[in-house]
Amino acid sequence: MNNNTGAILVLSGPSGAGKSSLLNEIINDIGECYFSISTTTRQIRDGEENGVHYYFVSEEEFKKDIEEDNFLEYAFVHGNYYGTSLKPVKKSLNEGKLVLFDIDVQGNTLVNNRLGDITTSVFISPPTLSELKKRLQDRSTDAQDVVERRLEMAKKEIQRISEYDYLVINDNLKEAADVLRTIAKASRLKVPDNEINEFVQKWEDIDL
Ligand code: 5GP
């Protein structure tokens, strides 16, 4: 069956799990993609650009978007709002693209509730909590209390790995990228419910 409806690949995992590095490794090998740029109320970090890493907005602007039903999903994470705008996602799906999300566990639940039949979800984890702590401290973009908060969040998120289709442990970047590449390619082959129904209907319409 030829699926040109597009598909969704959700990537979740603690900050410091290496999601961006993994994506950079595979992005040229997985066909036409759209990486969803989230909107957030958190402070911009050094090295980040508005409209590239996130759309950075005020809490007031974010709440207006909620009221106007502009989000496919949104969540309150680490004391800030994060949300996925619906419009560019719809457009990319209609163009048959693979839409990539970097969202938290709450977002994964919401996306699966709305578009589960075309969604594949992957939890990316560092091998251990102490390795995560080291990576966050080495990155030194966050103050110590923020690092502590992220570690606490990571402990909670890891309790919910069973809600994901796949777990990728990012110990060795190349090996983890190989696994993620395979999952991303397979995620495109998921057949949406309407296409399955059409296919089944065709079989029922044929008199033997
Ligand atoms: P960071 O502040 O490190 O960029 O992201 C913090 C967390 O927010 C990460 O777990 C990330 O996956 C999550 N996140 C980023 N964008 C979104 C979004 O649009 N929706 C949801 N639900 N989570 C998001």
Side-chain angles (χ1 to χ4, degrees):
M1 216 177 316
N2 231 346
N3 164 14
N4 60 0
T5 317
I8 291 175
L9 183 64
V10 171
L11 304 177
S12 297
S15 327
K19 286 171 285 184
S20 314
S21 314
L22 280 170
L23 263 187
N24 284 339
E25 286 286 315
I26 68 164
I27 202 76
N28 294 324
D29 313 326
I30 57 174
E32 269 218 273
C33 295
Y34 165 70
F35 184 80
S36 166
I37 303 170
S38 298
T39 301
T40 183
T41 59
R42 89 146 154 72
Q43 289 291 310
I44 189 164
R45 289 191 197 124
D46 280 351
E48 283 183 332
E49 244 181 89
N50 190 23
V52 176
H53 298 92
Y54 284 104
Y55 297 108
F56 295 93
V57 299
S58 66
E59 202 163 308
E60 198 183 351
E61 286 171 287
F62 197 98
K63 286 188 173 158
K64 190 162 168 274
D65 268 347
I66 298 176
E67 271 166 32
E68 291 174 359
D69 217 7
N70 288 335
F71 289 123
L72 166 63
E73 62 76 37
Y74 69 91
F76 195 65
V77 191
H78 309 308
N80 295 297
Y81 285 102
Y82 293 83
T84 306
S85 296
L86 189 54
K87 246 196 211 161
V89 172
K90 262 191 186 168
K91 181 171 175 287
S92 302
L93 288 174
N94 286 333
E95 290 167 354
K97 290 183 181 163
L98 179 64
V99 181
L100 301 163
F101 290 140
D102 173 350
I103 55 178
D104 81 326
V105 287
Q106 306 169 72
N108 179 49
T109 307
L110 295 167
V111 170
N112 268 288
N113 287 346
R114 288 181 80 168
L115 295 166
D117 63 333
I118 55 165
T119 300
T120 300
S121 59
V122 187
F123 193 95
I124 297 174
S125 177
T128 60
L129 189 64
S130 50
E131 172 63 22
L132 177 62
K133 188 172 182 180
K134 186 174 164 292
R135 288 185 197 176
L136 287 175
Q137 284 170 337
D138 289 352
R139 191 164 79 169
S140 73
T141 46
D142 295 317
Q144 187 56 33
D145 63 321
V146 177
V147 170
E148 293 300 330
R149 195 147 34 108
R150 287 182 188 278
L151 289 171
E152 281 310 313
M153 275 296 295
K155 276 193 201 168
K156 285 196 192 126
E157 283 192 326
I158 278 164
Q159 302 301 318
R160 292 179 62 179
I161 289 180
S162 62
E163 294 173 29
Y164 286 78
D165 297 316
Y166 299 97
L167 164 64
V168 174
I169 299 170
N170 184 12
D171 196 359
N172 174 302
L173 185 70
K174 291 270 179 253
E175 285 173 17
D178 283 346
V179 176
L180 189 60
R181 191 179 291 109
T182 305
I183 296 169
K185 286 182 181 172
S187 70
R188 281 189 183 277
L189 305 176
K190 242 187 145 175
V191 185
D193 290 344
N194 62 339
E195 287 187 25
I196 290 178
N197 292 339
E198 257 174 50
F199 185 73
V200 172
Q201 193 58 47
K202 272 190 212 152
W203 276 59
E204 284 176 359
D205 288 347
I206 295 171
D207 289 326
L208 291 176

